[in-house]
Amino acid sequence: MTTDLFACFPEARASREEMAEGAVLLRSFIGDSEAGLLAALRDIVAQAPFRRMFTPGGHQMSVAMTNCGSAGWVTDRSGYRYDPEDPETGKPWPAMPPLFRELADRAAQSGGFSGFEPDVCLINRYVPGAKMSLHQDKDELDFGAPIVSVSLGLPAIFMFGGLKRADKPRRFRLEHGDVAVWGGPSRLFFHGVAPLAEGSHPAMGPQRLNLTFRKIR
Ligand code: MD3
Ligand code: FE
């Protein structure tokens, strides 16, 4: 019988890798928070279900999304915005769980950014075939604050370009439990996610979730 050391002891994978100036990849950073994160996610999704939104160009996104925090990122035929209410229910988005805040702040700290106070957590769900085209995140007011991302479930190939759309992206495989911090000069770098490969994750099933923590005001 063989044993997958990294599956049994995820912390054995823990490492810190600089992807670019201001961008740090913290492998397996979620550690003991996994069960708490998944329980809190179940709660959020029960109040604000995942939905596939439409871009201003009229295309339906392959990624399904929801949010928690004092606002949420939404897109429809009229454009992109951060909205304090879930347009599907007319209610405020679920509050950001303290565990989310604490994890994001610890990660930002490890990435070299102190006192990160995210007000929004966008939650993306990818099923096999879903992707996110190359884009910049610039709907936030304060580019001095980093974005922190948490990957759960199936692995994804993250494409990390530069300040210009034409800059050739480098590829990083993001796995269950990995956390990344994107700040400083890399905050406005183009990035995307390649179509998710088929598969099933032991804890998450046939999907990938990505949480991005943002300070929008
Ligand atoms: C680098 N999400 O929601 S997270 C997004 O995996 C988004 O779902 C991807 O891009 C995902 O906007 C990537 C990693 C990420 C997030 C924001 C960034 C990388 C970033 C902002 C600037 C540079
Ligand atoms: Fe993005």
Side-chain angles (χ1 to χ4, degrees):
M1 194 189 87
T2 56
T3 316
D4 184 340
L5 177 69
F6 289 167
C8 297
F9 303 102
E11 63 277 17
R13 218 163 55 81
S15 66
R16 187 180 189 286
E17 179 188 349
E18 192 122 350
M19 295 178 283
E21 200 183 329
V24 179
L25 179 49
L26 306 164
R27 296 279 185 200
S28 213
F29 191 80
I30 64 167
D32 293 344
S33 311
E34 175 170 343
L37 278 175
L38 297 185
L41 275 166
R42 254 185 287 280
D43 237 60
I44 291 163
V45 169
Q47 299 169 65
F50 284 111
R51 79 292 307 264
R52 288 174 54 204
M53 297 189 266
F54 286 86
T55 65
H59 297 285
Q60 189 171 23
M61 298 182 75
S62 57
V63 177
M65 298 176 162
T66 186
N67 294 271
C68 66
S70 59
W73 187 86
V74 296
T75 174
D76 58 23
R77 287 309 304 254
S78 69
Y80 311 125
R81 64 185 182 279
Y82 283 101
D83 196 320
E85 304 182 335
D86 178 349
E88 293 286 311
T89 61
K91 293 186 299 189
W93 296 99
M96 193 179 309
L99 177 65
F100 278 29
R101 243 181 248 294
E102 287 155 18
L103 178 65
D105 183 55
R106 265 199 302 120
Q109 195 85 247
S110 293
F113 301 88
S114 60
F116 181 47
E117 290 189 9
D119 37 25
V120 170
C121 176
L122 169 64
I123 304 165
N124 296 329
R125 183 179 67 186
Y126 297 75
V127 294
K131 64 179 169 62
M132 194 174 284
S133 307
L134 217 57
H135 67 278
Q136 290 174 297
D137 288 22
K138 46 181 189 183
D139 299 332
E140 303 75 26
L141 276 181
D142 178 8
F143 298 139
I147 289 181
V148 171
S149 91
V150 177
S151 291
L152 297 170
L154 288 175
I157 302 298
F158 176 71
M159 321 271 288
F160 195 29
L163 273 181
K164 294 182 302 236
R165 182 177 286 280
D167 291 336
K168 188 181 159 80
R170 295 154 64 209
R171 289 166 161 74
F172 294 88
R173 185 180 151 100
L174 298 181
E175 293 184 54
H176 181 77
D178 293 348
V179 177
V181 181
W182 325 82
S186 75
R187 174 65 182 76
L188 290 171
F189 280 14
F190 278 90
H191 59 277
V193 177
L196 199 74
E198 295 287 340
S200 185
H201 183 273
M204 303 290 298
Q207 60 174 345
R208 166 180 190 254
L209 301 189
N210 182 267
L211 283 52
T212 51
F213 294 91
R214 300 143 186 270
K215 178 166 168 43
I216 64 157
R217 303 179 212 283

